[in-house]
Amino acid sequence: MTQYSTDYTIDELVVCSLAREIRDGEFVAQGGGTALGIVSVLLARLTHAPNLKYNYLSSVDPLFDNIGPGHSPDSVRGTALQRNMTIDGMVSMCIRGKIDVFSTMPAQIDRYGNVNVSLIGDHQQPQTRFPGGYGITDWFLYANRVYAYLPKHTRRAFVEKVDYITGQGHIAGETNGRQRLGIPGQGPQRVVTNLGIMGFDEDTHAMRMDSVHPGVTQDEIEANTGFELIVGSDLQETEPPTVEQVDLIRNRIDPMGLRKHRFDL
Amino acid sequence: MTQYSTDYTIDELVVCSLAREIRDGEFVAQGGGTALGIVSVLLARLTHAPNLKYNYLSSVDPLFDNIGPGHSPDSVRGTALQRNMTIDGMVSMCIRGKIDVFSTMPAQIDRYGNVNVSLIGDHQQPQTRFPGGYGITDWFLYANRVYAYLPKHTRRAFVEKVDYITGQGHIAGETNGRQRLGIPGQGPQRVVTNLGIMGFDEDTHAMRMDSVHPGVTQDEIEANTGFELIVGSDLQETEPPTVEQVDLIRNRIDPMGLRKHRFDL
Amino acid sequence: MTAKLMTLEEATQLIPDGSSVGIASPSVGPVALVPMALIREIVRQRKRDLDLYTPIMGLEGDLLIGAGCLKAVQAFAFRIIGQAVPPNFRRASIEGTITTREESEFSVTLGLLAGSMGVQFIPLHGYQNDHLQHHPEWHQFTSPVDGQEMVTITAITPDVAIVHVPKSDPEGNAKLGDTNDLNVMAAFSAPAMVRGAKRVILTAEEIVTNEEIRATPDETSILYHDVDAVVHVPHGAHPFGVTGYYEPDLEHFEEYLKAANTPESFEEYLKHFVNEPTDASAYLELVGVRA
Amino acid sequence: MTAKLMTLEEATQLIPDGSSVGIASPSVGPVALVPMALIREIVRQRKRDLDLYTPIMGLEGDLLIGAGCLKAVQAFAFRIIGQAVPPNFRRASIEGTITTREESEFSVTLGLLAGSMGVQFIPLHGYQNDHLQHHPEWHQFTSPVDGQEMVTITAITPDVAIVHVPKSDPEGNAKLGDTNDLNVMAAFSAPAMVRGAKRVILTAEEIVTNEEIRATPDETSILYHDVDAVVHVPHGAHPFGVTGYYEPDLEHFEEYLKAANTPESFEEYLKHFVNEPTDASAYLELVGVRA
């Protein structure tokens, strides 16, 4: 019988929720700056998805299962199938639809899953400038399924319209809008936050509340979202991490707690 | 004072005529199957163009000056600046306009310098099938100046219209036709045969007789050309090879006589 | 055996009649990673109406033409190890029994590059020769950038790409050897066409472990996620030679050229070297190679 | 000295005010072939209105912005060795004194690839984000192949590309070292941007002979015909590190970030580290490096 953890932290819940979205044998890509995403991939590989394939920066399928400083991008390259796939190789792989799953942490997200990691405010004279999108623009178009996670579910992050579309979400109100535009990926699937898990309506593609984390209320999520969320007909409580998952996260994958970045504020 | 050879052969005259078209410091490219062209490049490098740069198949600027069997494509690669420039690198170099001079031996050529190395007769059911164009199509578009040489000046080779345009020549009657089509290279400059040297009129781009080889008459060239040649106002006798050139060709560059291919029939 | 590791017979069944088949590592000279054992199996299985994509068509394509497997061929050159026009190709051309789509070094290279990157086409200026009328997949258009006339060099994405490699693991992670030792075309086209193709069959001199691939990760040229089938075939490129394994069998090339000279003698060749040997090792015994 | 071998002062004069300048080997982390000595000379010569093309903008671009050399910058990320948003860039963005053309990994890669091959653009489907409105060089059009909406990712061809290399001969035949040791971006972009640029300046740790280049022809990554100027600058990437030569100076990065935090302290930094040292070796003495 599954034994659930009773002392998990919110970052661990988010890690486990993302890990559950990865199916065995799938090909997952992850950038370098998103420790929590990496922890979720390594957790999936150590539990239900032993055959997942993984591109970590330029290393193809490195075998590491620990993101401590001994497992920096450089050091894991030696265990890869290919040590330095250059950027054209990575772009090729993604355009050709080889990547099943990608996850990232945007600064803003809107009702249709458009994400912003570029700036807040006016394009020419923003109030805040972020580091920019790297490949987020591209993976949101070409990876098969993408996931977003946000450490703080607030009205500033969940907005009616993002200030800058770095990554394209769904096409408003159009069931097959992405297909019409020739976009190969299915777009954003789930948004995992410190409060709950959101999905998108199959027809209108508007964001929908799918589950509420233990101890959080539906009202709390609605109050912290800057637009009207659809409430799923089978709204559930989020499944908590298991004892095994928490043990793997804390003691094997991320003993230094790098996953807590921005969750620990 | 220049001492001319009195015992040169026709292939040697053609080699020297092509070599004279290469200016010092220019970048020359040459395919593998055209021994006579290679001899002309090596001759230019050993005489008036010591600083010419040379791409021989995939070897960038190999230092060899002998095309005997000891200097096969493989063996010269070790003296190159880059041993194996792959085809995308060669294509890039040519599209970007780095190549000054290219020469080749077509099966047919027409009034405007269109060349055919593909087939004789109907496209779907030809009478004769040749090995095809390799990069001739491309170099005729993108190399700055191209040259053709033909071992037998006949009405079958010099035709009103080639059976298959493998390499594009000039645009009929249009002074800047190539520019209008966005073609960067200047196109065919000279055609050297066993009888004479042809150029192209600056305005109409029609083929023009520029010089007649020693012992050949203007009538002979006209009789062996399948269309009406313009006769240049300063029609000359072709300058013969020098004693030095013939010595270099026979004793240093091509002691095996590979240049004679198709000239010795 | 993983699902990808299979026999020549099984792998060849991944090539339906009417498919476009690309040879990812074409021959320029006699040393080349041409999957000859697979080509012979295609003949043995009497595949029909194949459309061959190969930058340079040599003995391998001529064998397929002579055996009646091809309806069309696309290449920028037609030559056996840099010399003769392939005899069956010449005969089929003159008889009009094969469709030839000739192209050029640039169009092959840009088409493979487009396929490799997953983009639809790469545009080229000025390309207005007779190749154009044989390529319905190339479209003339006006550049949205500067209004000039252009041609789309459309991505080359064969239904099945086939390539012989020195080493592969059972999943299809493969090494081509020092790419500087490959010919100028293959060093580019082998990885590029493998990426662009819808399905990929590797034949390999050696099957190595995944651990061996990971031990030298800088040498991996083909990755498992592009590969559908892996077949272990020692001497799989004969009569071509493979660097580090064996020299080309130049006498066999001569024997081939002589045989292909007439339909009758070519039938004899096919019978003797392709159809009668019961498998790849019987062939090797026949040509005097110890596998 | 050949015509290409010159001093930093001379080479920098090949960059007119208003030019677009591309950094062919951008930094991802602290080990990178960034031509920092040349960047400092650009500041010293008070170049103005430059348009910087760099896939990832780090300390080098931030220094140019803080010194008032740039009018615009194009990149897919803005980060100093993978960490902080560059302080001068952040300030200039908020004040509106710099034009930012953000793009993505795909658009940079395809733009560099187009420039490298000499083609006008590479088409991409579905690219309809907010980057688009900042890139007048990208044109929306209808695919002549299948009628779908596309964007031209137009070739990236800066007026001048600059790159630091371990070894070059006097003509500009250069080695980048083992490209597997370069970062994921630079291993592709260094040779690609050099090909696409109208003019190229190399700074080199060592000047070697042409014979030395020919002795290991498989290691030549940049060829003379693309290069206009070669400058010998040992430790020319400091504070970045160069594999096989020196480690990055991480303390200097920290010092930079602290200084760039306010315009006043950045002015001090500029004065002390860029304008006051009389030449590259005076700089190295100042930062405690023995050249």
Side-chain angles (χ1 to χ4, degrees):
Chain A
M1 222 193 92
T2 309
Q3 240 200 312
Y4 288 112
S5 164
T6 52
D7 70 342
Y8 66 84
T9 54
I10 185 63
D11 50 282
E12 290 160 350
L13 177 65
V14 172
V15 164
C16 293
S17 298
L18 289 169
R20 287 195 184 100
E21 299 287 340
I22 301 170
R23 301 163 200 161
D24 195 23
E26 288 194 320
F27 201 143
V28 185
Q30 197 73 40
T34 51
L36 188 142
I38 299 165
V39 175
S40 74
V41 177
L42 298 182
L43 178 64
R45 186 155 72 183
L46 287 172
T47 55
H48 66 282
N51 303 304
L52 75 80
K53 303 296 183 180
Y54 185 27
N55 226 75
Y56 174 56
L57 293 171
S58 60
S59 303
V60 181
D61 202 20
L63 294 175
F64 77 118
D65 58 16
N66 172 325
I67 66 163
H71 283 79
S72 68
D74 281 341
S75 70
V76 305
R77 292 163 72 187
T79 70
L81 288 168
Q82 196 173 68
R83 180 162 72 110
N84 195 5
M85 173 174 264
T86 54
I87 189 122
D88 54 321
M90 293 164 67
V91 168
S92 150
M93 209 164 56
C94 189
I95 296 190
R96 293 181 300 121
K98 297 284 178 181
I99 303 300
D100 296 303
V101 175
F102 172 77
S103 69
T104 192
M105 183 168 65
Q108 282 185 328
I109 189 165
D110 70 19
R111 185 192 297 267
Y112 294 105
N114 294 298
V115 297
N116 174 12
V117 294
S118 298
L119 52 84
I120 297 292
D122 179 72
H123 287 196
Q124 300 309 331
Q125 228 170 312
Q127 293 149 35
T128 309
R129 176 67 231 188
F130 301 126
Y134 291 85
I136 286 176
T137 301
D138 316 306
W139 303 87
F140 265 66
L141 291 169
Y142 286 90
N144 194 25
R145 307 195 312 278
V146 299
Y147 297 88
Y149 59 93
L150 292 94
K152 294 279 175 284
H153 193 136
T154 66
R155 298 178 78 93
R156 286 178 54 194
F158 283 75
V159 293
E160 186 65 46
K161 197 177 175 315
V162 293
D163 290 357
Y164 189 107
I165 299 178
T166 316
Q168 291 161 250
H170 299 287
I171 312 300
E174 207 183 324
T175 313
N176 299 314
R178 290 190 141 232
Q179 276 164 270
R180 183 179 56 79
L181 292 176
I183 301 172
Q186 296 178 46
Q189 303 296 304
R190 292 271 184 288
V191 184
V192 184
T193 76
N194 60 323
L195 301 182
I197 302 178
M198 272 49 65
F200 294 89
D201 183 81
E202 280 71 24
D203 294 321
T204 65
H205 296 305
M207 199 184 286
R208 181 187 64 212
M209 195 191 311
D210 282 348
S211 83
V212 178
H213 293 339
V216 177
T217 65
Q218 178 181 334
D219 284 357
E220 212 175 327
I221 292 181
E222 285 173 341
N224 283 290
T225 302
F227 53 86
E228 201 179 331
L229 276 173
I230 301 172
V231 179
S233 53
D234 55 348
L235 183 68
Q236 298 179 330
E237 187 176 85
T238 308
E239 185 180 356
T242 65
V243 169
E244 185 207 0
Q245 286 176 320
V246 168
D247 178 57
L248 284 169
I249 295 170
R250 289 184 193 170
N251 300 316
R252 181 151 165 195
I253 302 171
D254 184 24
M256 297 191 67
L258 301 180
R259 69 191 174 279
K260 293 180 185 292
H261 180 60
R262 291 191 194 277
F263 279 82
D264 53 5
L265 299 174
Chain B
M1 222 193 92
T2 308
Q3 239 199 311
Y4 288 110
S5 165
T6 51
D7 71 343
Y8 66 85
T9 53
I10 186 61
D11 50 282
E12 290 161 350
L13 176 65
V14 174
V15 164
C16 294
S17 299
L18 288 170
R20 288 194 184 102
E21 298 287 341
I22 300 170
R23 303 163 198 160
D24 195 23
E26 287 194 320
F27 201 142
V28 184
Q30 197 73 39
T34 49
L36 188 142
I38 298 165
V39 175
S40 75
V41 177
L42 298 182
L43 178 64
R45 186 156 72 183
L46 287 172
T47 56
H48 67 281
N51 302 304
L52 76 81
K53 304 295 183 178
Y54 184 26
N55 226 75
Y56 173 55
L57 293 172
S58 60
S59 302
V60 181
D61 202 21
L63 293 175
F64 78 119
D65 58 16
N66 173 322
I67 66 162
H71 284 78
S72 69
D74 280 342
S75 71
V76 306
R77 291 162 73 187
T79 71
L81 289 168
Q82 196 172 69
R83 180 163 72 108
N84 194 4
M85 174 174 264
T86 53
I87 189 124
D88 54 320
M90 292 164 67
V91 167
S92 150
M93 210 164 58
C94 187
I95 296 190
R96 292 182 300 122
K98 298 283 178 182
I99 303 300
D100 296 303
V101 174
F102 172 77
S103 70
T104 193
M105 182 167 65
Q108 281 186 329
I109 189 164
D110 70 19
R111 187 194 294 269
Y112 295 107
N114 295 299
V115 296
N116 175 11
V117 293
S118 299
L119 52 84
I120 298 290
D122 179 71
H123 287 198
Q124 302 309 329
Q125 226 169 316
Q127 293 150 36
T128 308
R129 176 68 231 189
F130 301 127
Y134 291 84
I136 286 176
T137 301
D138 315 307
W139 303 87
F140 265 66
L141 291 170
Y142 285 91
N144 194 27
R145 307 195 313 277
V146 299
Y147 297 88
Y149 59 94
L150 290 92
K152 294 281 174 284
H153 193 137
T154 67
R155 296 177 81 91
R156 286 178 55 194
F158 284 75
V159 293
E160 185 66 46
K161 196 177 176 314
V162 293
D163 290 357
Y164 190 107
I165 300 178
T166 317
Q168 290 160 250
H170 299 286
I171 311 301
E174 207 183 324
T175 312
N176 299 313
R178 290 190 142 232
Q179 277 165 268
R180 182 178 58 77
L181 293 176
I183 300 172
Q186 295 178 48
Q189 303 296 304
R190 292 272 184 287
V191 185
V192 184
T193 75
N194 60 324
L195 301 182
I197 301 178
M198 272 49 66
F200 295 89
D201 182 81
E202 280 72 22
D203 294 322
T204 65
H205 296 304
M207 200 184 285
R208 181 188 62 211
M209 194 192 311
D210 282 349
S211 84
V212 177
H213 294 339
V216 178
T217 66
Q218 178 180 335
D219 284 354
E220 210 174 328
I221 291 180
E222 284 171 342
N224 284 290
T225 301
F227 52 87
E228 200 179 331
L229 275 173
I230 301 174
V231 179
S233 54
D234 55 346
L235 182 69
Q236 299 180 332
E237 187 174 85
T238 308
E239 185 180 356
T242 66
V243 170
E244 183 206 2
Q245 286 175 319
V246 169
D247 177 56
L248 284 169
I249 294 170
R250 290 182 193 172
N251 301 316
R252 180 152 167 193
I253 301 171
D254 182 24
M256 299 192 63
L258 301 180
R259 66 190 175 280
K260 293 181 186 291
H261 180 60
R262 292 189 192 278
F263 280 81
D264 52 5
L265 300 175
Chain C
M1 274 207 189
T2 72
K4 288 186 189 174
L5 212 50
M6 55 182 84
T7 64
L8 271 179
E9 291 73 12
E10 290 164 341
T12 304
Q13 285 158 22
L14 298 176
I15 309 174
D17 282 357
S19 305
S20 55
V21 177
I23 296 177
S25 179
S27 64
V28 174
V31 175
L33 295 168
V34 181
M36 283 304 300
L38 182 60
I39 300 268
R40 285 186 288 267
E41 180 61 26
I42 289 171
V43 171
R44 231 175 267 122
Q45 292 194 17
R46 304 181 62 77
K47 296 288 177 186
R48 286 296 176 270
D49 294 324
L50 301 179
D51 188 346
L52 186 69
Y53 287 69
T54 177
I56 302 179
M57 199 206 81
L59 181 146
E60 67 294 339
D62 198 59
L63 183 68
L64 290 169
I65 292 172
C69 302
L70 301 192
K71 67 175 173 198
V73 58
Q74 173 166 324
F76 64 66
F78 308 87
R79 246 188 176 148
I80 290 188
I81 57 169
Q83 298 167 17
V85 176
N88 286 308
F89 167 70
R90 183 195 295 249
R91 201 155 41 235
S93 297
I94 290 171
E95 291 167 2
T97 56
I98 189 148
T99 299
T100 302
R101 296 190 307 272
E102 186 172 335
E103 54 177 340
S104 75
E105 288 181 2
F106 283 25
S107 66
V108 168
T109 302
L110 297 178
L112 287 173
L113 188 60
S116 150
M117 293 306 293
V119 300
Q120 194 178 52
F121 67 86
I122 290 179
L124 201 52
H125 271 125
Y127 204 85
Q128 304 201 352
N129 43 62
D130 276 339
H131 302 330
L132 210 56
Q133 58 188 283
H134 302 288
H135 288 268
E137 78 279 18
W138 296 344
H139 300 263
Q140 290 186 278
F141 74 110
T142 303
S143 165
V145 175
D146 64 3
Q148 281 209 297
E149 284 311 302
M150 293 189 146
V151 173
T152 68
I153 302 297
T154 304
I156 295 176
T157 57
D159 293 330
V160 189
I162 62 179
V163 63
H164 188 64
V165 301
K167 293 180 185 186
S168 174
D169 75 8
E171 294 296 317
N173 295 295
K175 304 181 182 193
L176 294 174
D178 183 346
T179 52
N180 286 297
D181 287 330
L182 295 181
N183 65 58
V184 50
M185 191 66 225
F188 167 75
S189 75
M193 193 187 275
V194 160
R195 282 177 175 174
K198 298 179 190 74
R199 197 173 263 182
V200 173
I201 302 174
L202 304 186
T203 61
E205 288 295 326
E206 296 181 62
I207 303 295
V208 300
T209 61
N210 187 271
E211 290 66 36
E212 188 170 332
I213 296 289
R214 288 185 194 272
T216 51
D218 293 341
E219 296 171 10
T220 316
S221 296
I222 294 175
L223 286 163
Y224 71 98
H225 59 252
D226 290 327
V227 176
D228 299 277
V230 180
V231 187
H232 184 207
V233 196
H235 284 269
H238 182 275
F240 293 95
V242 174
T243 306
Y245 289 82
Y246 44 92
E247 295 293 314
D249 183 348
L250 296 178
E251 281 174 28
H252 193 90
F253 279 99
E254 278 174 45
E255 192 168 353
Y256 179 91
L257 282 170
K258 206 171 143 197
N261 226 14
T262 71
E264 296 70 29
S265 52
F266 184 70
E267 277 308 312
E268 280 303 308
Y269 176 94
L270 269 187
K271 194 175 151 201
H272 187 62
F273 286 110
V274 182
N275 290 316
E276 282 184 355
T278 47
D279 57 19
S281 46
Y283 170 83
L284 293 180
E285 206 170 304
L286 186 66
V287 297
V289 168
R290 293 238 155 269
Chain D
M1 275 208 190
T2 72
K4 287 187 190 174
L5 211 50
M6 54 182 83
T7 64
L8 272 180
E9 290 73 11
E10 290 163 342
T12 305
Q13 284 158 24
L14 299 177
I15 309 174
D17 283 355
S19 305
S20 56
V21 177
I23 297 176
S25 178
S27 64
V28 174
V31 175
L33 294 169
V34 181
M36 284 303 302
L38 182 60
I39 300 269
R40 285 186 288 267
E41 181 62 24
I42 289 172
V43 172
R44 233 176 264 123
Q45 292 194 16
R46 304 181 63 76
K47 296 290 176 186
R48 287 295 175 267
D49 294 324
L50 302 179
D51 189 346
L52 186 68
Y53 287 68
T54 178
I56 302 180
M57 198 206 82
L59 181 146
E60 67 294 341
D62 199 59
L63 183 69
L64 291 169
I65 292 172
C69 301
L70 300 192
K71 68 177 171 195
V73 59
Q74 174 165 325
F76 65 65
F78 307 87
R79 248 188 175 147
I80 291 189
I81 57 171
Q83 298 167 16
V85 176
N88 285 308
F89 168 70
R90 183 195 295 251
R91 204 156 38 237
S93 297
I94 290 172
E95 290 167 2
T97 55
I98 189 146
T99 299
T100 303
R101 296 191 307 272
E102 187 171 334
E103 53 177 338
S104 76
E105 289 180 2
F106 282 25
S107 67
V108 168
T109 302
L110 297 178
L112 287 172
L113 188 60
S116 150
M117 293 305 295
V119 300
Q120 195 179 50
F121 67 86
I122 290 178
L124 201 52
H125 272 123
Y127 205 85
Q128 304 201 353
N129 44 60
D130 275 340
H131 303 330
L132 210 56
Q133 58 186 285
H134 302 288
H135 288 269
E137 79 279 17
W138 295 345
H139 299 262
Q140 291 185 277
F141 74 111
T142 303
S143 164
V145 176
D146 65 2
Q148 282 210 295
E149 285 309 303
M150 293 189 145
V151 173
T152 67
I153 302 297
T154 304
I156 295 175
T157 57
D159 294 330
V160 190
I162 61 178
V163 63
H164 188 63
V165 300
K167 293 180 185 185
S168 174
D169 77 6
E171 293 296 319
N173 295 295
K175 305 181 183 195
L176 294 174
D178 183 346
T179 52
N180 286 297
D181 288 330
L182 295 181
N183 65 59
V184 50
M185 191 66 225
F188 166 76
S189 75
M193 193 187 276
V194 160
R195 283 177 173 173
K198 298 178 190 74
R199 195 172 266 182
V200 173
I201 303 174
L202 303 187
T203 62
E205 289 295 326
E206 295 182 62
I207 304 296
V208 299
T209 61
N210 187 272
E211 289 68 34
E212 187 170 334
I213 296 288
R214 288 186 194 273
T216 51
D218 294 341
E219 297 171 10
T220 315
S221 297
I222 293 175
L223 286 163
Y224 70 97
H225 58 251
D226 290 326
V227 176
D228 299 276
V230 180
V231 187
H232 184 207
V233 196
H235 284 267
H238 182 276
F240 292 95
V242 174
T243 306
Y245 289 83
Y246 44 90
E247 295 292 314
D249 183 347
L250 296 178
E251 281 174 28
H252 193 90
F253 278 100
E254 278 175 44
E255 192 169 351
Y256 179 90
L257 283 170
K258 207 171 141 194
N261 227 11
T262 70
E264 296 71 29
S265 51
F266 184 71
E267 276 308 312
E268 280 303 308
Y269 177 94
L270 269 187
K271 191 175 151 199
H272 187 62
F273 286 109
V274 183
N275 290 316
E276 281 185 357
T278 46
D279 58 18
S281 46
Y283 169 83
L284 293 179
E285 205 169 306
L286 186 64
V287 296
V289 168
R290 296 235 154 272

